[in-house]
Structure formats: structure tokens, C-alpha cells
Amino acid sequence: MCIRDRVEAERRLEAFPDVTYVATGGTRDGDQEWAERIFTHRERRPASWRTAETCDLPPLLAADGPPLLIDCLSLWLTDAMDSVGAWSDDTWANGGAKALRERVDELVAAVRATRRTMVAVSNEVGSGVVPATPAGRRFRDELGRLNANIAAECEHVLLTVAGQSMTLR
């Protein structure tokens, strides 16, 4: 299932006693506001749910285990773009685009092959302001492609706007 709202994603898995909540946002040392967000998210979840803080998703998807709630694909993409230098126009043109496609293809293949119940959260892009910078537009375009590719592998796709979910598939 691919979904656009973490509260809705959590609700979709609340009947499962064990869930692995995959946090892709990292820790951001020294950022108190970020730490408070993480604390609030953890407090909202059932105590039986485990948290895995990682962007290395394919091994989790390949392993047997409880359902996965991946929060979120946009933060995963940010990390992937960081790792291949995709923010730089020169790096992007000289191998960064290819390296990112390989990372995305690996993730999509892992989603396709997983036997685990999985709910992935992502941000919607393309219906708002066009970013002013090439790197911002690149991120928006790449997230749109990632969302479409992951959604194509999911049985259900929900779009949540203002707390209301619409089933797309």
C-alpha cells in the first residue's frame, strides 16, 4: 500500500500487534525541534511496534517479519540523492542521474518481491509550486517518478488530503 499520510498509514496497521516502523529521516544531531517531532511520533504508536532508523530498505523488504511502515519515501529519496551527489548539476549530468536510477530500481524491485505487508508513506508532488532551483525541480521530478513506480507495485494506493483519504487503486 502506498499512502500519503503517516497517521492514516498508522491507522491501517493498528490491528497488527507487531509492526516495524521504518524511519528514514535520520537523527539530525542538535536539532531540538526534530527530536520533539520524533518523540511525538513514537508516543503516538503502539508500544509493541519496533522502530528501525534506516534508509537501507531492500534488506528489510527481503527479510521475513512483521508488517513494515516506511515513513517516508521522500526522506529516503533525499538520502539517496545526497549519497549520489544529485543536488549538483555537474554530478547529476556525470553519473549522478544513473546512480540514482539504480538506487530507485533496487528499491522498486525489493517492493515488488517482498512478501511482507508494507505501507509506505510519501509526499505528493507536482500539484503545488514549481521549485525555483534546478535541484528543487529535480527532487520534485524524481519523487514523482519514485511515487509512481512504487504505487505501480502496490495493491492499494491512497491519497490523503486534509485528513481525508481517497482510494486511487
mmCIF file of all heavy atoms in Angstrom, residues 43-69:
data_model
loop_
_atom_site.group_PDB
_atom_site.id
_atom_site.type_symbol
_atom_site.label_atom_id
_atom_site.label_comp_id
_atom_site.label_asym_id
_atom_site.label_seq_id
_atom_site.Cartn_x
_atom_site.Cartn_y
_atom_site.Cartn_z
ATOM 1 N N GLU A 43 5.466 8.381 20.543
ATOM 2 C CA GLU A 43 4.436 8.326 21.582
ATOM 3 C C GLU A 43 3.067 7.949 21.019
ATOM 4 O O GLU A 43 2.255 7.364 21.711
ATOM 5 C CB GLU A 43 4.345 9.667 22.316
ATOM 6 C CG GLU A 43 5.519 9.940 23.222
ATOM 7 C CD GLU A 43 5.600 8.944 24.371
ATOM 8 O OE1 GLU A 43 4.621 8.831 25.123
ATOM 9 O OE2 GLU A 43 6.642 8.278 24.501
ATOM 10 N N ARG A 44 2.814 8.306 19.779
ATOM 11 C CA ARG A 44 1.521 8.037 19.153
ATOM 12 C C ARG A 44 1.372 6.552 18.780
ATOM 13 O O ARG A 44 0.277 6.036 18.704
ATOM 14 C CB ARG A 44 1.382 8.924 17.907
ATOM 15 C CG ARG A 44 0.039 8.856 17.243
ATOM 16 C CD ARG A 44 -0.095 9.808 16.074
ATOM 17 N NE ARG A 44 0.878 9.516 15.027
ATOM 18 C CZ ARG A 44 1.660 10.425 14.469
ATOM 19 N NH1 ARG A 44 1.597 11.680 14.819
ATOM 20 N NH2 ARG A 44 2.520 10.093 13.525
ATOM 21 N N ARG A 45 2.483 5.874 18.551
ATOM 22 C CA ARG A 45 2.446 4.486 18.083
ATOM 23 C C ARG A 45 2.285 3.518 19.244
ATOM 24 O O ARG A 45 2.704 3.796 20.375
ATOM 25 C CB ARG A 45 3.727 4.160 17.327
ATOM 26 C CG ARG A 45 3.916 5.024 16.111
ATOM 27 C CD ARG A 45 5.017 4.520 15.219
ATOM 28 N NE ARG A 45 6.350 4.614 15.768
ATOM 29 C CZ ARG A 45 7.228 5.561 15.486
ATOM 30 N NH1 ARG A 45 6.886 6.553 14.691
ATOM 31 N NH2 ARG A 45 8.427 5.538 15.997
ATOM 32 N N PRO A 46 1.711 2.328 18.950
ATOM 33 C CA PRO A 46 1.616 1.294 19.992
ATOM 34 C C PRO A 46 2.995 0.917 20.526
ATOM 35 O O PRO A 46 3.977 0.892 19.771
ATOM 36 C CB PRO A 46 0.966 0.114 19.265
ATOM 37 C CG PRO A 46 0.238 0.726 18.104
ATOM 38 C CD PRO A 46 1.074 1.918 17.706
ATOM 39 N N ALA A 47 3.052 0.599 21.795
ATOM 40 C CA ALA A 47 4.326 0.267 22.437
ATOM 41 C C ALA A 47 4.958 -0.997 21.852
ATOM 42 O O ALA A 47 6.175 -1.168 21.911
ATOM 43 C CB ALA A 47 4.123 0.098 23.940
ATOM 44 N N SER A 48 4.151 -1.883 21.263
ATOM 45 C CA SER A 48 4.677 -3.139 20.717
ATOM 46 C C SER A 48 5.373 -2.947 19.364
ATOM 47 O O SER A 48 6.064 -3.842 18.897
ATOM 48 C CB SER A 48 3.551 -4.157 20.559
ATOM 49 O OG SER A 48 2.574 -3.687 19.643
ATOM 50 N N TRP A 49 5.209 -1.783 18.750
ATOM 51 C CA TRP A 49 5.851 -1.549 17.459
ATOM 52 C C TRP A 49 7.331 -1.243 17.666
ATOM 53 O O TRP A 49 7.712 -0.509 18.567
ATOM 54 C CB TRP A 49 5.192 -0.389 16.744
ATOM 55 C CG TRP A 49 3.821 -0.660 16.214
ATOM 56 C CD1 TRP A 49 2.989 -1.675 16.555
ATOM 57 C CD2 TRP A 49 3.121 0.121 15.249
ATOM 58 N NE1 TRP A 49 1.808 -1.583 15.869
ATOM 59 C CE2 TRP A 49 1.866 -0.478 15.056
ATOM 60 C CE3 TRP A 49 3.426 1.267 14.546
ATOM 61 C CZ2 TRP A 49 0.930 0.030 14.175
ATOM 62 C CZ3 TRP A 49 2.491 1.770 13.667
ATOM 63 C CH2 TRP A 49 1.258 1.162 13.475
ATOM 64 N N ARG A 50 8.170 -1.805 16.813
ATOM 65 C CA ARG A 50 9.599 -1.530 16.847
ATOM 66 C C ARG A 50 9.930 -0.427 15.855
ATOM 67 O O ARG A 50 9.245 -0.262 14.859
ATOM 68 C CB ARG A 50 10.407 -2.776 16.453
ATOM 69 C CG ARG A 50 10.393 -3.874 17.458
ATOM 70 C CD ARG A 50 11.290 -5.061 17.068
ATOM 71 N NE ARG A 50 11.267 -5.419 15.651
ATOM 72 C CZ ARG A 50 12.255 -5.160 14.784
ATOM 73 N NH1 ARG A 50 13.349 -4.547 15.165
ATOM 74 N NH2 ARG A 50 12.162 -5.512 13.518
ATOM 75 N N THR A 51 11.002 0.294 16.093
ATOM 76 C CA THR A 51 11.456 1.332 15.173
ATOM 77 C C THR A 51 12.812 0.936 14.617
ATOM 78 O O THR A 51 13.695 0.516 15.366
ATOM 79 C CB THR A 51 11.571 2.691 15.888
ATOM 80 O OG1 THR A 51 10.289 3.058 16.393
ATOM 81 C CG2 THR A 51 12.070 3.775 14.944
ATOM 82 N N ALA A 52 12.944 1.062 13.301
ATOM 83 C CA ALA A 52 14.230 0.881 12.634
ATOM 84 C C ALA A 52 14.528 2.189 11.924
ATOM 85 O O ALA A 52 13.754 2.622 11.074
ATOM 86 C CB ALA A 52 14.163 -0.268 11.638
ATOM 87 N N GLU A 53 15.627 2.838 12.301
ATOM 88 C CA GLU A 53 16.018 4.090 11.661
ATOM 89 C C GLU A 53 17.065 3.772 10.606
ATOM 90 O O GLU A 53 18.225 3.541 10.916
ATOM 91 C CB GLU A 53 16.550 5.076 12.700
ATOM 92 C CG GLU A 53 15.472 5.532 13.649
ATOM 93 C CD GLU A 53 15.943 6.573 14.648
ATOM 94 O OE1 GLU A 53 17.113 6.993 14.579
ATOM 95 O OE2 GLU A 53 15.125 6.962 15.497
ATOM 96 N N THR A 54 16.611 3.737 9.332
ATOM 97 C CA THR A 54 17.496 3.363 8.241
ATOM 98 C C THR A 54 16.916 3.798 6.907
ATOM 99 O O THR A 54 15.708 3.943 6.771
ATOM 100 C CB THR A 54 17.746 1.839 8.225
ATOM 101 O OG1 THR A 54 18.711 1.532 7.214
ATOM 102 C CG2 THR A 54 16.469 1.061 7.954
ATOM 103 N N CYS A 55 17.790 3.978 5.945
ATOM 104 C CA CYS A 55 17.382 4.188 4.558
ATOM 105 C C CYS A 55 17.739 2.971 3.709
ATOM 106 O O CYS A 55 17.510 2.965 2.502
ATOM 107 C CB CYS A 55 18.047 5.440 3.987
ATOM 108 S SG CYS A 55 17.297 6.964 4.611
ATOM 109 N N ASP A 56 18.290 1.940 4.333
ATOM 110 C CA ASP A 56 18.644 0.703 3.640
ATOM 111 C C ASP A 56 17.416 -0.209 3.627
ATOM 112 O O ASP A 56 17.310 -1.148 4.420
ATOM 113 C CB ASP A 56 19.843 0.047 4.321
ATOM 114 C CG ASP A 56 20.446 -1.061 3.476
ATOM 115 O OD1 ASP A 56 20.099 -1.162 2.275
ATOM 116 O OD2 ASP A 56 21.267 -1.826 4.018
ATOM 117 N N LEU A 57 16.480 0.081 2.734
ATOM 118 C CA LEU A 57 15.186 -0.599 2.720
ATOM 119 C C LEU A 57 15.183 -1.976 2.077
ATOM 120 O O LEU A 57 14.457 -2.862 2.547
ATOM 121 C CB LEU A 57 14.145 0.303 2.047
ATOM 122 C CG LEU A 57 13.951 1.678 2.691
ATOM 123 C CD1 LEU A 57 12.897 2.470 1.929
ATOM 124 C CD2 LEU A 57 13.589 1.553 4.157
ATOM 125 N N PRO A 58 15.943 -2.246 0.999
ATOM 126 C CA PRO A 58 15.850 -3.566 0.376
ATOM 127 C C PRO A 58 16.066 -4.758 1.316
ATOM 128 O O PRO A 58 15.299 -5.726 1.248
ATOM 129 C CB PRO A 58 16.892 -3.504 -0.750
ATOM 130 C CG PRO A 58 16.854 -2.060 -1.163
ATOM 131 C CD PRO A 58 16.734 -1.320 0.164
ATOM 132 N N PRO A 59 17.055 -4.727 2.228
ATOM 133 C CA PRO A 59 17.197 -5.879 3.130
ATOM 134 C C PRO A 59 15.972 -6.077 4.038
ATOM 135 O O PRO A 59 15.585 -7.207 4.325
ATOM 136 C CB PRO A 59 18.436 -5.553 3.963
ATOM 137 C CG PRO A 59 19.205 -4.581 3.135
ATOM 138 C CD PRO A 59 18.177 -3.783 2.392
ATOM 139 N N LEU A 60 15.359 -4.988 4.493
ATOM 140 C CA LEU A 60 14.159 -5.116 5.323
ATOM 141 C C LEU A 60 13.012 -5.721 4.523
ATOM 142 O O LEU A 60 12.261 -6.556 5.034
ATOM 143 C CB LEU A 60 13.732 -3.753 5.866
ATOM 144 C CG LEU A 60 14.612 -3.142 6.932
ATOM 145 C CD1 LEU A 60 14.165 -1.712 7.230
ATOM 146 C CD2 LEU A 60 14.585 -3.975 8.202
ATOM 147 N N LEU A 61 12.863 -5.297 3.290
ATOM 148 C CA LEU A 61 11.799 -5.819 2.444
ATOM 149 C C LEU A 61 12.039 -7.280 2.082
ATOM 150 O O LEU A 61 11.083 -8.033 1.894
ATOM 151 C CB LEU A 61 11.666 -4.960 1.184
ATOM 152 C CG LEU A 61 11.099 -3.567 1.435
ATOM 153 C CD1 LEU A 61 11.443 -2.630 0.291
ATOM 154 C CD2 LEU A 61 9.599 -3.631 1.662
ATOM 155 N N ALA A 62 13.298 -7.705 2.000
ATOM 156 C CA ALA A 62 13.632 -9.087 1.647
ATOM 157 C C ALA A 62 13.459 -10.046 2.817
ATOM 158 O O ALA A 62 13.200 -11.233 2.621
ATOM 159 C CB ALA A 62 15.064 -9.160 1.125
ATOM 160 N N ALA A 63 13.578 -9.549 4.036
ATOM 161 C CA ALA A 63 13.511 -10.401 5.224
ATOM 162 C C ALA A 63 12.063 -10.734 5.582
ATOM 163 O O ALA A 63 11.142 -9.977 5.279
ATOM 164 C CB ALA A 63 14.183 -9.697 6.403
ATOM 165 N N ASP A 64 11.894 -11.887 6.203
ATOM 166 C CA ASP A 64 10.585 -12.205 6.773
ATOM 167 C C ASP A 64 10.413 -11.392 8.039
ATOM 168 O O ASP A 64 11.384 -11.020 8.693
ATOM 169 C CB ASP A 64 10.497 -13.697 7.110
ATOM 170 C CG ASP A 64 10.455 -14.562 5.861
ATOM 171 O OD1 ASP A 64 9.917 -14.095 4.834
ATOM 172 O OD2 ASP A 64 10.952 -15.700 5.917
ATOM 173 N N GLY A 65 9.161 -11.135 8.402
ATOM 174 C CA GLY A 65 8.912 -10.399 9.629
ATOM 175 C C GLY A 65 7.553 -9.749 9.624
ATOM 176 O O GLY A 65 6.741 -9.955 8.712
ATOM 177 N N PRO A 66 7.320 -8.931 10.630
ATOM 178 C CA PRO A 66 6.027 -8.259 10.754
ATOM 179 C C PRO A 66 5.868 -7.198 9.664
ATOM 180 O O PRO A 66 6.815 -6.876 8.941
ATOM 181 C CB PRO A 66 6.087 -7.626 12.148
ATOM 182 C CG PRO A 66 7.546 -7.393 12.380
ATOM 183 C CD PRO A 66 8.242 -8.545 11.704
ATOM 184 N N PRO A 67 4.684 -6.621 9.553
ATOM 185 C CA PRO A 67 4.470 -5.561 8.574
ATOM 186 C C PRO A 67 5.467 -4.415 8.750
ATOM 187 O O PRO A 67 5.926 -4.142 9.864
ATOM 188 C CB PRO A 67 3.045 -5.078 8.867
ATOM 189 C CG PRO A 67 2.380 -6.234 9.515
ATOM 190 C CD PRO A 67 3.455 -6.910 10.313
ATOM 191 N N LEU A 68 5.752 -3.750 7.647
ATOM 192 C CA LEU A 68 6.629 -2.591 7.645
ATOM 193 C C LEU A 68 5.806 -1.339 7.366
ATOM 194 O O LEU A 68 4.968 -1.336 6.463
ATOM 195 C CB LEU A 68 7.677 -2.699 6.537
ATOM 196 C CG LEU A 68 8.708 -3.805 6.637
ATOM 197 C CD1 LEU A 68 9.548 -3.848 5.361
ATOM 198 C CD2 LEU A 68 9.599 -3.597 7.848
ATOM 199 N N LEU A 69 6.060 -0.299 8.126
ATOM 200 C CA LEU A 69 5.522 1.015 7.817
ATOM 201 C C LEU A 69 6.737 1.879 7.496
ATOM 202 O O LEU A 69 7.553 2.155 8.367
ATOM 203 C CB LEU A 69 4.745 1.596 8.995
ATOM 204 C CG LEU A 69 3.888 2.820 8.654
ATOM 205 C CD1 LEU A 69 2.824 3.026 9.723
ATOM 206 C CD2 LEU A 69 4.687 4.071 8.465
#
